[in-house]
Amino acid sequence: MFLYQRWLQDRLHDYVNAVSPPRLKGRLISMTPLQYGAALLQAYLGQASLSWVAEISGVPGETLKEWRRQPEFLLLMDWSKARFSEFFRETLALNNYSLEEVFEIAGEFCMLEDSLRVGVRVKLYTVFRNLGESLLSRHSHGLALEKSDLRLFKRLFLFFWALESYWPGPARKRLEEKFLPLARNVVWTRLGLPVLEEDDFAAALSPRYTLLYLRDLLADKLRETLSVYGLKTGGYPRYLH
């Protein structure tokens, strides 16, 4: 359940199968799929290193450093972060995931480039905090709670709870003191879900969800993605064949 890896794979598929060269901010993007994929991989330079990206892509580190000086490579890097930020927020808000899947999502999220994850976290947490405070207020005054709000709170609560295991932040106190009781006593009950127990969280914190394990698993998936879209077409998108 690696959302950026899946997003990267979809973007590579679109690029390789494009019938005309794409443009970003008026500039034609004409790269091999390997260069394109390597530019998208730069978003992992948070918990990962350039050497990690180089090993996955099969590109020498010095070559990657040279590519990172090229305008279209830099343009694609910036574009990918902005587009994925929107995709991540929408995907998390609209889809239900198991607690185990949420831990995988949160683990990969912590491997992303610092400015990307900080920007996404701030925007998402603002929505989550305001929603939680609104639900608390409405519940205390005996007002109706919309099912759509309860479902959104559930999705965001699980994500931020899992995120605290990898990337602790100032939200921890509010999560534990205000939003965990809200989740247990109101949201889960109103949604007809089983009672939220401490063991539910403990079960997700197995060795399978350590950052080291997730990084190794992610590396395998990324290598597979790059090999499919970098080699199947001879290294060029359709419009260059």
Side-chain angles (χ1 to χ4, degrees):
M1 195 54 61
F2 297 134
L3 294 188
Y4 189 80
Q5 180 267 332
R6 287 169 50 195
W7 184 86
L8 183 155
Q9 179 174 299
D10 289 344
R11 301 293 73 73
L12 262 177
H13 178 271
D14 292 345
Y15 181 69
V16 167
N17 290 285
V19 295
S20 60
R23 289 178 176 269
L24 291 181
K25 295 185 177 179
R27 179 187 289 272
L28 287 175
I29 302 297
S30 181
M31 302 174 168
T32 67
L34 185 56
Q35 287 174 309
Y36 195 92
L40 300 184
L41 281 174
Q42 303 305 299
Y44 283 114
L45 296 181
Q47 296 293 324
S49 63
L50 193 63
S51 61
W52 185 82
V53 171
E55 191 275 328
I56 288 171
S57 61
V59 176
E62 290 304 314
T63 300
L64 270 183
K65 290 179 182 178
E66 178 60 33
W67 286 355
R68 284 169 60 88
R69 300 187 189 101
Q70 297 174 2
E72 65 176 359
F73 196 89
L74 295 170
L75 183 62
L76 184 57
M77 284 170 53
D78 291 340
W79 170 86
S80 69
K81 293 173 187 177
R83 289 293 298 275
F84 177 72
S85 176
E86 296 173 5
F87 168 82
F88 185 88
R89 296 196 306 271
E90 292 174 0
T91 300
L92 202 63
L94 295 174
N95 294 279
N96 290 315
Y97 298 105
S98 69
L99 186 57
E100 289 76 14
E101 289 172 333
V102 173
F103 268 81
E104 293 177 357
I105 291 169
E108 185 203 27
F109 183 79
C110 286
M111 299 180 211
L112 297 177
E113 190 267 336
D114 292 348
S115 66
L116 171 58
R117 59 192 172 100
V118 168
V120 173
R121 180 174 183 163
V122 168
K123 290 180 180 179
L124 263 183
Y125 185 72
T126 299
V127 173
F128 175 55
R129 181 194 61 214
N130 293 343
L131 176 61
E133 295 292 348
S134 173
L135 289 174
L136 282 168
S137 176
R138 293 184 67 83
H139 178 65
S140 69
H141 289 89
L143 300 176
L145 304 179
E146 297 291 336
K147 282 290 182 70
S148 58
D149 288 341
L150 296 173
R151 286 191 287 266
L152 177 57
F153 178 88
K154 169 184 173 285
R155 293 162 184 160
L156 297 181
F157 174 82
L158 289 179
F159 171 71
F160 281 105
W161 191 273
L163 194 60
E164 285 296 310
S165 298
Y166 300 111
W167 186 23
R172 182 78 185 195
K173 184 176 181 180
R174 181 182 269 113
L175 278 171
E176 291 182 340
E177 296 181 359
K178 298 180 74 172
F179 291 166
L180 179 58
L182 173 64
R184 281 178 170 160
N185 303 328
V186 179
V187 176
W188 261 243
T189 301
R190 298 287 181 93
L191 291 176
L193 299 171
V195 177
L196 197 59
E197 303 286 359
E198 288 293 341
D199 288 347
D200 295 330
F201 297 117
L205 286 174
S206 70
R208 179 182 174 191
Y209 301 106
T210 64
L211 281 181
L212 180 60
Y213 177 85
L214 292 175
R215 187 165 59 191
D216 289 344
L217 181 60
L218 174 63
D220 289 339
K221 289 183 174 292
L222 289 168
R223 288 189 195 97
E224 180 182 353
T225 295
L226 289 180
S227 93
V228 168
Y229 292 103
L231 301 178
K232 181 194 290 187
T233 64
Y236 288 90
R238 279 178 59 194
Y239 64 82
L240 292 179
H241 280 234

